[in-house]
Amino acid sequence: MAIIIAGERSGVGKTTVTLALLAAMKTRSLSNQTLVQSFKVGPDYIDPMFHSYITGLPCRNLDPVLTSEDYVRSCFAKHSRPADYSLIEGVMGLFDGATGKDDTASTAHIARLLNVPVVLILNCASTSRSIAAIAHGYRTFDPRIQIAGVVLNRVGSDRHLELLTQALEPLNLPILGVLRRQDNIAIPDRHLGLIPTAEMSDLDGIIDRLAYLGETCFDWEKLLPLMGSPHPLTHEDREVIVAPPLLREIGLGCGGLRIAIAQDKAFSFYYPDNLDLFREMGAELVPWSPISDRTLPENIQGLYFGGGFPEVFATELTENKTARESVHKAIAAGIPTYAECGGLMYLCDRLVDFEEQSFAMVNIFPTTAKMGKRLTLGYRQAIALLDSPLVKKGDRVWGHEFHRSSLTEISDRPLYSLQGYDSHLQYPTEGWQKYQVHASYNHLHFGAQHHLLSRFLVNCQKSNN
């Protein structure tokens, strides 16, 4: 019960179309309690926040590099099974993936893996009959991909639509939606993409406009049967349970462990699957805010700092001196701590924002996180150079980097050496390990690497004994 929303390229309107469809479906579901489950191809954190705000359900990432093909299948089966409809938002262009020689980690890869039909969004600006050549190319490039229909975006006029429709008619490719140029709804963005939902004061108004767009611009008589068709996965796929072995299976229990997780406007980048895995292993996640809470929660055995935007809220973070001191004291006392990207920046000595203003941070690592224009982006295979609360020396783990900051000083005992995905490019060593801290720019998904989370919780348990 799913379709996958794909674009001919990045910036063609995938997120707008996806949110418009989700918003319209949610509006329709208010009277009959219909459940709509969304998914996002790739490692993105922010688009899924908008999905979840609309549907009321966590959006699940489908990423075969950070996890595995088997995990993608089982995650999709597990979370789509209770839903009435499922919708997947793709990534970049339909065939754009981790390499140029194949479609690994692309929207096409996921569509093929899950055997779900593709709805292709076409940018119709500055073209008319040529749109048929574009659509024909995408449909025939990989015959294994089923393109169920197209959405025409940025249509200029009724005459323009007539020309586009005439051009596409010989292809017998259904037009499932038409968005005019004036239909574009601007969702505010900044240096890492869309502004997260928690920071948007007019979000409900935007969602209402998207719902109207979804209701009026799409052919629901054609769309709903696609989304409500029998699930193509096998019975065996459906029965796969996405859950790691519990710690009791290796003789260690973590029932009663309390892990303080930083969750506020500065720290919001978390995969729902990772949070589920903490709970499935018996740990309790205790949310707290480094912006507004004066100290850490009581009686905790571990710390978890996800990514986010500490640079945007640096003033609030530095002004909350008692929280910074509380974190520093706990870490210096040996509490196991996992910090990635924004979390790493928070644990540095200082943070310098885009305006060159400097702010005091927790001062665990003798380095400054400095914002810059350069975007560091991509999958990384990280080879552990030493032990940490998550990894053993020699471990190889898959992660993803996405940041515009860099550190002024590199650790003399770096945590990782890095390799790209199928790339001969050389990357500098990265990451910090001090006290019982594992800190890195690499974002990790524990779905197919649950041994890392197991090791972290084991260390939390040992530190508590």
Side-chain angles (χ1 to χ4, degrees):
M1 297 183 181
I3 56 173
I4 189 164
I5 304 299
E8 52 163 300
R9 68 192 70 197
S10 293
V12 76
K14 288 188 304 296
T15 300
T16 298
V17 168
T18 298
L19 297 181
L21 291 172
L22 290 175
M25 294 175 72
K26 188 61 178 178
T27 299
R28 288 169 166 238
S29 74
L30 293 178
S31 60
N32 57 15
Q33 304 296 309
T34 301
L35 288 179
V36 181
Q37 176 65 58
S38 71
F39 300 86
K40 171 64 180 174
V41 179
D44 181 47
Y45 289 99
I46 300 178
D47 288 359
M49 294 179 189
F50 286 83
H51 292 209
S52 297
Y53 187 90
I54 294 171
T55 67
L57 297 174
C59 173
R60 305 291 171 167
N61 291 76
L62 303 175
D63 191 316
V65 175
L66 291 186
T67 59
S68 68
E69 289 189 344
D70 286 342
Y71 186 87
V72 167
R73 288 192 192 97
S74 58
C75 177
F76 180 74
K78 176 181 180 180
H79 296 292
S80 64
R81 183 170 54 224
D84 297 287
Y85 299 102
S86 295
L87 185 67
I88 307 169
E89 180 183 352
V91 61
M92 299 188 293
L94 175 57
F95 298 104
D96 298 327
T99 76
K101 66 182 182 182
D102 63 28
D103 65 2
T104 299
S106 69
T107 304
H109 184 187
I110 300 302
R112 192 172 65 250
L113 197 63
L114 302 179
N115 191 27
V116 295
V118 169
V119 173
L120 181 66
I121 305 172
L122 300 173
N123 179 5
C124 301
S126 304
T127 188
S128 57
R129 189 167 185 268
S130 295
I131 203 70
I134 296 170
H136 176 72
Y138 275 84
R139 185 163 69 172
T140 58
F141 187 74
D142 185 347
R144 297 172 296 176
I145 304 300
Q146 176 197 353
I147 296 184
V150 297
V151 171
L152 308 182
N153 195 12
R154 297 168 190 156
V155 176
S157 65
D158 290 345
R159 177 56 178 159
H160 188 200
L161 177 60
E162 185 177 47
L163 293 172
L164 296 167
T165 303
Q166 290 172 345
L168 289 167
E169 188 173 354
L171 299 183
N172 195 28
L173 197 57
I175 297 174
L176 301 175
V178 176
L179 281 73
R180 306 292 181 126
R181 289 175 188 169
Q182 65 268 24
D183 289 332
N184 288 336
I185 296 176
I187 303 175
D189 61 2
R190 60 179 176 224
H191 55 281
L192 292 183
L194 299 180
I195 294 178
T197 54
E199 297 181 48
M200 296 181 59
S201 59
D202 187 35
L203 182 55
D204 287 336
I206 291 174
I207 299 303
D208 288 343
R209 294 194 292 276
L210 285 166
Y212 176 79
L213 197 69
E215 191 61 46
T216 58
C217 295
F218 296 92
D219 189 334
W220 287 98
E221 289 187 4
K222 293 178 181 176
L223 272 172
L224 283 179
L226 289 172
M227 301 172 70
S229 60
H231 200 292
L233 295 183
T234 66
H235 176 75
E236 289 75 16
D237 286 327
R238 286 171 173 268
E239 294 306 313
V240 173
I241 298 177
V242 186
L246 297 179
L247 289 185
R248 64 172 179 267
E249 295 184 14
I250 55 174
L252 291 165
C254 64
L257 280 182
R258 287 165 48 88
I259 310 299
I261 178 171
Q263 285 187 310
D264 56 20
K265 291 186 292 186
F267 302 98
S268 58
F269 291 3
Y270 296 97
Y271 294 126
D273 289 16
N274 283 358
L275 306 186
D276 288 349
L277 290 174
F278 268 96
R279 300 182 185 104
E280 288 170 9
M281 288 185 170
E284 177 188 359
L285 291 172
V286 185
W288 76 288
S289 170
I291 290 177
S292 58
D293 290 331
R294 308 316 296 174
T295 62
L296 285 168
E298 295 181 355
N299 187 29
I300 55 171
Q301 291 78 46
L303 298 178
Y304 184 10
F305 293 94
F309 291 101
E311 68 274 16
V312 176
F313 301 97
T315 298
E316 292 93 325
L317 291 171
T318 197
E319 287 177 350
N320 194 352
K321 185 177 180 181
T322 59
R324 291 188 289 111
E325 290 175 343
S326 178
V327 171
H328 191 286
K329 180 179 179 181
I331 289 176
I335 191 169
T337 302
Y338 173 54
E340 58 184 26
C341 202
L344 164 64
M345 296 164 66
Y346 182 58
L347 299 186
C348 291
D349 175 26
R350 304 193 71 81
L351 188 157
V352 176
D353 68 9
F354 287 109
E355 284 71 46
E356 300 290 333
Q357 297 183 82
S358 180
F359 301 88
M361 293 290 119
V362 176
N363 191 25
I364 293 298
F365 306 127
T367 185
T368 296
K370 190 176 189 321
M371 302 306 299
K373 294 181 179 180
R374 181 175 178 270
L375 176 63
T376 300
L377 167 69
Y379 293 109
R380 304 286 185 262
Q381 186 177 57
I383 299 94
L385 299 176
L386 40 80
D387 292 350
S388 83
L390 270 79
V391 297
K392 293 290 186 182
K393 182 177 180 180
D395 282 353
R396 291 174 177 264
V397 299
W398 278 106
H400 186 266
E401 285 191 86
F402 190 66
H403 54 93
R404 291 190 185 273
S405 69
S406 59
L407 303 185
T408 57
E409 301 292 334
I410 305 300
S411 173
D412 58 359
R413 297 181 66 246
L415 180 60
Y416 291 136
S417 65
L418 300 178
Q419 298 176 0
Y421 187 90
D422 193 38
S423 171
H424 300 294
L425 298 177
Q426 297 298 311
Y427 298 92
T429 54
E430 190 266 337
W432 289 73
Q433 197 283 312
K434 185 179 180 181
Y435 301 116
Q436 281 268 53
V437 180
H438 175 119
S440 167
Y441 271 118
N442 260 323
H443 294 279
L444 300 178
H445 192 300
F446 297 127
Q449 304 178 119
H450 57 257
H451 60 288
L452 304 177
L453 182 53
S454 297
R455 189 173 293 138
F456 177 70
L457 292 177
V458 165
N459 280 306
C460 292
Q461 182 79 342
K462 288 179 178 177
S463 296
N464 192 42
N465 291 335

